[in-house]
PDB file of all heavy atoms in Angstrom:
ATOM      1  N   MET A 308       3.195 114.373 132.613  1.00 98.00           N
ATOM      2  CA  MET A 308       2.518 113.161 132.228  1.00 98.00           C
ATOM      3  C   MET A 308       1.967 112.447 133.453  1.00 98.00           C
ATOM      4  O   MET A 308       2.598 112.326 134.456  1.00 98.00           O
ATOM      5  CB  MET A 308       3.513 112.197 131.528  1.00 98.00           C
ATOM      6  CG  MET A 308       3.829 112.564 130.101  1.00 98.00           C
ATOM      7  SD  MET A 308       2.496 112.033 128.968  1.00 98.00           S
ATOM      8  CE  MET A 308       3.256 112.447 127.402  1.00 98.00           C
ATOM      9  N   ARG A 309       0.685 112.018 133.330  1.00 98.00           N
ATOM     10  CA  ARG A 309       0.085 111.238 134.409  1.00 98.00           C
ATOM     11  C   ARG A 309       0.480 109.766 134.185  1.00 98.00           C
ATOM     12  O   ARG A 309       0.854 109.348 133.096  1.00 98.00           O
ATOM     13  CB  ARG A 309      -1.417 111.343 134.366  1.00 98.00           C
ATOM     14  CG  ARG A 309      -1.970 112.746 134.503  1.00 98.00           C
ATOM     15  CD  ARG A 309      -3.450 112.718 134.794  1.00 98.00           C
ATOM     16  NE  ARG A 309      -4.182 111.793 133.892  1.00 98.00           N
ATOM     17  CZ  ARG A 309      -4.827 112.192 132.801  1.00 98.00           C
ATOM     18  NH1 ARG A 309      -4.780 113.476 132.452  1.00 98.00           N
ATOM     19  NH2 ARG A 309      -5.453 111.310 132.033  1.00 98.00           N
ATOM     20  N   GLN A 310       0.373 108.972 135.273  1.00 98.00           N
ATOM     21  CA  GLN A 310       0.783 107.588 135.191  1.00 98.00           C
ATOM     22  C   GLN A 310      -0.060 106.781 134.199  1.00 98.00           C
ATOM     23  O   GLN A 310       0.467 105.958 133.446  1.00 98.00           O
ATOM     24  CB  GLN A 310       0.703 106.936 136.579  1.00 98.00           C
ATOM     25  CG  GLN A 310       1.270 105.483 136.593  1.00 98.00           C
ATOM     26  CD  GLN A 310       2.747 105.461 136.164  1.00 98.00           C
ATOM     27  OE1 GLN A 310       3.515 106.222 136.681  1.00 98.00           O
ATOM     28  NE2 GLN A 310       3.079 104.572 135.234  1.00 98.00           N
ATOM     29  N   ASP A 311      -1.401 107.077 134.111  1.00 98.00           N
ATOM     30  CA  ASP A 311      -2.208 106.342 133.191  1.00 98.00           C
ATOM     31  C   ASP A 311      -1.884 106.677 131.749  1.00 98.00           C
ATOM     32  O   ASP A 311      -1.996 105.843 130.838  1.00 98.00           O
ATOM     33  CB  ASP A 311      -3.695 106.584 133.466  1.00 98.00           C
ATOM     34  CG  ASP A 311      -4.115 108.065 133.327  1.00 98.00           C
ATOM     35  OD1 ASP A 311      -3.280 108.960 133.635  1.00 98.00           O
ATOM     36  OD2 ASP A 311      -5.225 108.340 132.909  1.00 98.00           O
ATOM     37  N   GLU A 312      -1.374 107.947 131.522  1.00 98.00           N
ATOM     38  CA  GLU A 312      -0.957 108.315 130.194  1.00 98.00           C
ATOM     39  C   GLU A 312       0.305 107.620 129.798  1.00 98.00           C
ATOM     40  O   GLU A 312       0.472 107.128 128.659  1.00 98.00           O
ATOM     41  CB  GLU A 312      -0.800 109.807 130.132  1.00 98.00           C
ATOM     42  CG  GLU A 312      -2.112 110.637 130.314  1.00 98.00           C
ATOM     43  CD  GLU A 312      -1.945 112.108 130.449  1.00 98.00           C
ATOM     44  OE1 GLU A 312      -0.827 112.518 130.941  1.00 98.00           O
ATOM     45  OE2 GLU A 312      -2.809 112.837 130.022  1.00 98.00           O
ATOM     46  N   LEU A 313       1.231 107.520 130.736  1.00 98.00           N
ATOM     47  CA  LEU A 313       2.486 106.810 130.482  1.00 98.00           C
ATOM     48  C   LEU A 313       2.172 105.352 130.204  1.00 98.00           C
ATOM     49  O   LEU A 313       2.828 104.716 129.257  1.00 98.00           O
ATOM     50  CB  LEU A 313       3.466 106.965 131.648  1.00 98.00           C
ATOM     51  CG  LEU A 313       3.944 108.368 131.917  1.00 98.00           C
ATOM     52  CD1 LEU A 313       4.689 108.434 133.233  1.00 98.00           C
ATOM     53  CD2 LEU A 313       4.860 108.852 130.746  1.00 98.00           C
ATOM     54  N   ASP A 314       1.247 104.738 130.962  1.00 98.00           N
ATOM     55  CA  ASP A 314       0.928 103.351 130.738  1.00 98.00           C
ATOM     56  C   ASP A 314       0.337 103.133 129.331  1.00 98.00           C
ATOM     57  O   ASP A 314       0.553 102.125 128.739  1.00 98.00           O
ATOM     58  CB  ASP A 314      -0.072 102.887 131.856  1.00 98.00           C
ATOM     59  CG  ASP A 314       0.566 102.826 133.216  1.00 98.00           C
ATOM     60  OD1 ASP A 314       1.798 102.846 133.317  1.00 98.00           O
ATOM     61  OD2 ASP A 314      -0.208 102.812 134.208  1.00 98.00           O
ATOM     62  N   TYR A 315      -0.492 104.093 128.934  1.00 98.00           N
ATOM     63  CA  TYR A 315      -1.127 104.016 127.604  1.00 98.00           C
ATOM     64  C   TYR A 315      -0.034 104.003 126.521  1.00 98.00           C
ATOM     65  O   TYR A 315      -0.030 103.180 125.611  1.00 98.00           O
ATOM     66  CB  TYR A 315      -2.070 105.139 127.379  1.00 98.00           C
ATOM     67  CG  TYR A 315      -2.706 105.175 126.000  1.00 98.00           C
ATOM     68  CD1 TYR A 315      -3.755 104.337 125.655  1.00 98.00           C
ATOM     69  CD2 TYR A 315      -2.209 106.033 125.023  1.00 98.00           C
ATOM     70  CE1 TYR A 315      -4.329 104.322 124.408  1.00 98.00           C
ATOM     71  CE2 TYR A 315      -2.749 106.063 123.759  1.00 98.00           C
ATOM     72  CZ  TYR A 315      -3.812 105.191 123.444  1.00 98.00           C
ATOM     73  OH  TYR A 315      -4.354 105.233 122.195  1.00 98.00           O
ATOM     74  N   LEU A 316       0.907 104.932 126.647  1.00 98.00           N
ATOM     75  CA  LEU A 316       1.999 105.009 125.612  1.00 98.00           C
ATOM     76  C   LEU A 316       2.819 103.754 125.641  1.00 98.00           C
ATOM     77  O   LEU A 316       3.257 103.258 124.593  1.00 98.00           O
ATOM     78  CB  LEU A 316       2.861 106.230 125.920  1.00 98.00           C
ATOM     79  CG  LEU A 316       2.239 107.603 125.637  1.00 98.00           C
ATOM     80  CD1 LEU A 316       3.169 108.712 126.121  1.00 98.00           C
ATOM     81  CD2 LEU A 316       1.896 107.764 124.154  1.00 98.00           C
ATOM     82  N   ARG A 317       3.078 103.193 126.818  1.00 97.00           N
ATOM     83  CA  ARG A 317       3.871 102.030 126.929  1.00 97.00           C
ATOM     84  C   ARG A 317       3.200 100.838 126.242  1.00 97.00           C
ATOM     85  O   ARG A 317       3.830  99.899 125.836  1.00 97.00           O
ATOM     86  CB  ARG A 317       4.075 101.650 128.429  1.00 97.00           C
ATOM     87  CG  ARG A 317       5.331 100.870 128.715  1.00 97.00           C
ATOM     88  CD  ARG A 317       5.502 100.609 130.215  1.00 97.00           C
ATOM     89  NE  ARG A 317       5.695 101.826 130.992  1.00 97.00           N
ATOM     90  CZ  ARG A 317       6.902 102.410 131.125  1.00 97.00           C
ATOM     91  NH1 ARG A 317       7.949 101.884 130.603  1.00 97.00           N
ATOM     92  NH2 ARG A 317       7.002 103.528 131.841  1.00 97.00           N
ATOM     93  N   GLY A 318       1.916 100.888 126.084  1.00 97.00           N
ATOM     94  CA  GLY A 318       1.147  99.816 125.421  1.00 97.00           C
ATOM     95  C   GLY A 318       1.181  99.884 123.909  1.00 97.00           C
ATOM     96  O   GLY A 318       0.687  98.936 123.249  1.00 97.00           O
ATOM     97  N   LEU A 319       1.665 101.016 123.342  1.00 97.00           N
ATOM     98  CA  LEU A 319       1.771 101.054 121.889  1.00 97.00           C
ATOM     99  C   LEU A 319       3.024 100.343 121.433  1.00 97.00           C
ATOM    100  O   LEU A 319       4.120 100.560 121.911  1.00 97.00           O
ATOM    101  CB  LEU A 319       1.868 102.529 121.443  1.00 97.00           C
ATOM    102  CG  LEU A 319       0.651 103.432 121.820  1.00 97.00           C
ATOM    103  CD1 LEU A 319       0.881 104.850 121.430  1.00 97.00           C
ATOM    104  CD2 LEU A 319      -0.626 102.891 121.277  1.00 97.00           C
ATOM    105  N   ARG A 320       2.860  99.490 120.418  1.00 95.00           N
ATOM    106  CA  ARG A 320       3.926  98.519 120.084  1.00 95.00           C
ATOM    107  C   ARG A 320       5.224  99.183 119.607  1.00 95.00           C
ATOM    108  O   ARG A 320       6.313  98.625 119.748  1.00 95.00           O
ATOM    109  CB  ARG A 320       3.446  97.561 118.940  1.00 95.00           C
ATOM    110  CG  ARG A 320       3.213  98.288 117.628  1.00 95.00           C
ATOM    111  CD  ARG A 320       2.721  97.394 116.473  1.00 95.00           C
ATOM    112  NE  ARG A 320       2.711  98.096 115.230  1.00 95.00           N
ATOM    113  CZ  ARG A 320       1.755  98.903 114.835  1.00 95.00           C
ATOM    114  NH1 ARG A 320       0.705  99.090 115.616  1.00 95.00           N
ATOM    115  NH2 ARG A 320       1.812  99.496 113.668  1.00 95.00           N
ATOM    116  N   PHE A 321       5.153 100.406 119.082  1.00 97.00           N
ATOM    117  CA  PHE A 321       6.326 101.052 118.521  1.00 97.00           C
ATOM    118  C   PHE A 321       6.967 102.069 119.523  1.00 97.00           C
ATOM    119  O   PHE A 321       7.931 102.705 119.161  1.00 97.00           O
ATOM    120  CB  PHE A 321       5.950 101.751 117.224  1.00 97.00           C
ATOM    121  CG  PHE A 321       4.642 102.481 117.265  1.00 97.00           C
ATOM    122  CD1 PHE A 321       4.559 103.784 117.868  1.00 97.00           C
ATOM    123  CD2 PHE A 321       3.491 101.932 116.800  1.00 97.00           C
ATOM    124  CE1 PHE A 321       3.361 104.449 117.941  1.00 97.00           C
ATOM    125  CE2 PHE A 321       2.271 102.646 116.830  1.00 97.00           C
ATOM    126  CZ  PHE A 321       2.193 103.877 117.428  1.00 97.00           C
ATOM    127  N   ILE A 322       6.402 102.228 120.687  1.00 98.00           N
ATOM    128  CA  ILE A 322       6.957 103.118 121.698  1.00 98.00           C
ATOM    129  C   ILE A 322       7.842 102.333 122.621  1.00 98.00           C
ATOM    130  O   ILE A 322       7.417 101.331 123.207  1.00 98.00           O
ATOM    131  CB  ILE A 322       5.889 103.860 122.455  1.00 98.00           C
ATOM    132  CG1 ILE A 322       5.025 104.734 121.525  1.00 98.00           C
ATOM    133  CG2 ILE A 322       6.447 104.663 123.576  1.00 98.00           C
ATOM    134  CD1 ILE A 322       5.796 105.861 120.880  1.00 98.00           C
ATOM    135  N   LYS A 323       9.083 102.788 122.765  1.00 98.00           N
ATOM    136  CA  LYS A 323      10.076 102.008 123.540  1.00 98.00           C
ATOM    137  C   LYS A 323      10.105 102.426 125.033  1.00 98.00           C
ATOM    138  O   LYS A 323       9.805 103.588 125.358  1.00 98.00           O
ATOM    139  CB  LYS A 323      11.431 102.187 122.893  1.00 98.00           C
ATOM    140  CG  LYS A 323      11.471 101.680 121.478  1.00 98.00           C
ATOM    141  CD  LYS A 323      12.809 101.948 120.758  1.00 98.00           C
ATOM    142  CE  LYS A 323      12.697 101.438 119.298  1.00 98.00           C
ATOM    143  NZ  LYS A 323      13.952 101.745 118.539  1.00 98.00           N
ATOM    144  N   PRO A 324      10.429 101.486 125.896  1.00 98.00           N
ATOM    145  CA  PRO A 324      10.356 101.753 127.350  1.00 98.00           C
ATOM    146  C   PRO A 324      11.184 102.929 127.769  1.00 98.00           C
ATOM    147  O   PRO A 324      10.775 103.747 128.671  1.00 98.00           O
ATOM    148  CB  PRO A 324      10.873 100.465 127.948  1.00 98.00           C
ATOM    149  CG  PRO A 324      10.572  99.395 126.942  1.00 98.00           C
ATOM    150  CD  PRO A 324      10.788 100.062 125.601  1.00 98.00           C
ATOM    151  N   ASP A 325      12.424 103.155 127.251  1.00 98.00           N
ATOM    152  CA  ASP A 325      13.211 104.214 127.716  1.00 98.00           C
ATOM    153  C   ASP A 325      12.662 105.601 127.353  1.00 98.00           C
ATOM    154  O   ASP A 325      12.812 106.567 128.023  1.00 98.00           O
ATOM    155  CB  ASP A 325      14.691 104.070 127.187  1.00 98.00           C
ATOM    156  CG  ASP A 325      14.786 104.305 125.658  1.00 98.00           C
ATOM    157  OD1 ASP A 325      13.931 103.773 124.938  1.00 98.00           O
ATOM    158  OD2 ASP A 325      15.694 104.966 125.226  1.00 98.00           O
ATOM    159  N   PHE A 326      11.911 105.612 126.218  1.00 98.00           N
ATOM    160  CA  PHE A 326      11.259 106.866 125.802  1.00 98.00           C
ATOM    161  C   PHE A 326      10.148 107.203 126.760  1.00 98.00           C
ATOM    162  O   PHE A 326       9.900 108.377 127.155  1.00 98.00           O
ATOM    163  CB  PHE A 326      10.767 106.745 124.385  1.00 98.00           C
ATOM    164  CG  PHE A 326      10.048 108.000 123.869  1.00 98.00           C
ATOM    165  CD1 PHE A 326      10.629 109.244 123.972  1.00 98.00           C
ATOM    166  CD2 PHE A 326       8.773 107.902 123.314  1.00 98.00           C
ATOM    167  CE1 PHE A 326       9.938 110.378 123.543  1.00 98.00           C
ATOM    168  CE2 PHE A 326       8.135 109.030 122.827  1.00 98.00           C
ATOM    169  CZ  PHE A 326       8.686 110.253 122.968  1.00 98.00           C
ATOM    170  N   VAL A 327       9.357 106.187 127.159  1.00 98.00           N
ATOM    171  CA  VAL A 327       8.275 106.430 128.146  1.00 98.00           C
ATOM    172  C   VAL A 327       8.895 106.927 129.458  1.00 98.00           C
ATOM    173  O   VAL A 327       8.364 107.827 130.131  1.00 98.00           O
ATOM    174  CB  VAL A 327       7.477 105.139 128.330  1.00 98.00           C
ATOM    175  CG1 VAL A 327       6.355 105.419 129.365  1.00 98.00           C
ATOM    176  CG2 VAL A 327       6.837 104.680 127.044  1.00 98.00           C
ATOM    177  N   ASP A 328       9.992 106.313 129.868  1.00 98.00           N
ATOM    178  CA  ASP A 328      10.702 106.795 131.083  1.00 98.00           C
ATOM    179  C   ASP A 328      11.108 108.247 130.968  1.00 98.00           C
ATOM    180  O   ASP A 328      10.977 109.034 131.887  1.00 98.00           O
ATOM    181  CB  ASP A 328      11.861 105.894 131.357  1.00 98.00           C
ATOM    182  CG  ASP A 328      11.506 104.472 131.747  1.00 98.00           C
ATOM    183  OD1 ASP A 328      10.367 104.267 132.155  1.00 98.00           O
ATOM    184  OD2 ASP A 328      12.410 103.590 131.603  1.00 98.00           O
ATOM    185  N   PHE A 329      11.585 108.628 129.801  1.00 98.00           N
ATOM    186  CA  PHE A 329      11.977 109.986 129.511  1.00 98.00           C
ATOM    187  C   PHE A 329      10.790 110.941 129.642  1.00 98.00           C
ATOM    188  O   PHE A 329      10.833 112.023 130.255  1.00 98.00           O
ATOM    189  CB  PHE A 329      12.639 110.108 128.155  1.00 98.00           C
ATOM    190  CG  PHE A 329      12.994 111.510 127.777  1.00 98.00           C
ATOM    191  CD1 PHE A 329      14.126 112.157 128.245  1.00 98.00           C
ATOM    192  CD2 PHE A 329      12.147 112.258 126.942  1.00 98.00           C
ATOM    193  CE1 PHE A 329      14.425 113.448 127.917  1.00 98.00           C
ATOM    194  CE2 PHE A 329      12.446 113.591 126.587  1.00 98.00           C
ATOM    195  CZ  PHE A 329      13.602 114.154 127.065  1.00 98.00           C
ATOM    196  N   LEU A 330       9.649 110.522 129.029  1.00 98.00           N
ATOM    197  CA  LEU A 330       8.429 111.377 129.090  1.00 98.00           C
ATOM    198  C   LEU A 330       7.917 111.474 130.526  1.00 98.00           C
ATOM    199  O   LEU A 330       7.304 112.490 130.837  1.00 98.00           O
ATOM    200  CB  LEU A 330       7.358 110.733 128.218  1.00 98.00           C
ATOM    201  CG  LEU A 330       7.595 110.829 126.694  1.00 98.00           C
ATOM    202  CD1 LEU A 330       6.507 110.098 125.919  1.00 98.00           C
ATOM    203  CD2 LEU A 330       7.630 112.318 126.271  1.00 98.00           C
ATOM    204  N   GLY A 331       8.194 110.501 131.371  1.00 98.00           N
ATOM    205  CA  GLY A 331       7.822 110.585 132.761  1.00 98.00           C
ATOM    206  C   GLY A 331       8.534 111.717 133.441  1.00 98.00           C
ATOM    207  O   GLY A 331       8.042 112.252 134.498  1.00 98.00           O
ATOM    208  N   LEU A 332       9.669 112.177 132.945  1.00 98.00           N
ATOM    209  CA  LEU A 332      10.452 113.280 133.492  1.00 98.00           C
ATOM    210  C   LEU A 332      10.243 114.593 132.742  1.00 98.00           C
ATOM    211  O   LEU A 332      10.673 115.628 133.223  1.00 98.00           O
ATOM    212  CB  LEU A 332      11.940 112.931 133.504  1.00 98.00           C
ATOM    213  CG  LEU A 332      12.357 111.618 134.245  1.00 98.00           C
ATOM    214  CD1 LEU A 332      13.851 111.372 133.960  1.00 98.00           C
ATOM    215  CD2 LEU A 332      12.107 111.787 135.726  1.00 98.00           C
TER     216      LEU A 332
END
Side-chain angles (χ1 to χ4, degrees):
M308 283 281 187
R309 302 194 313 264
Q310 188 58 51
D311 62 326
E312 295 173 329
L313 295 170
D314 292 342
Y315 176 79
L316 290 173
R317 204 179 297 275
L319 300 178
R320 68 181 186 277
F321 42 80
I322 298 297
K323 299 175 181 177
D325 69 316
F326 179 52
V327 178
D328 293 339
F329 175 81
L330 289 174
L332 302 173

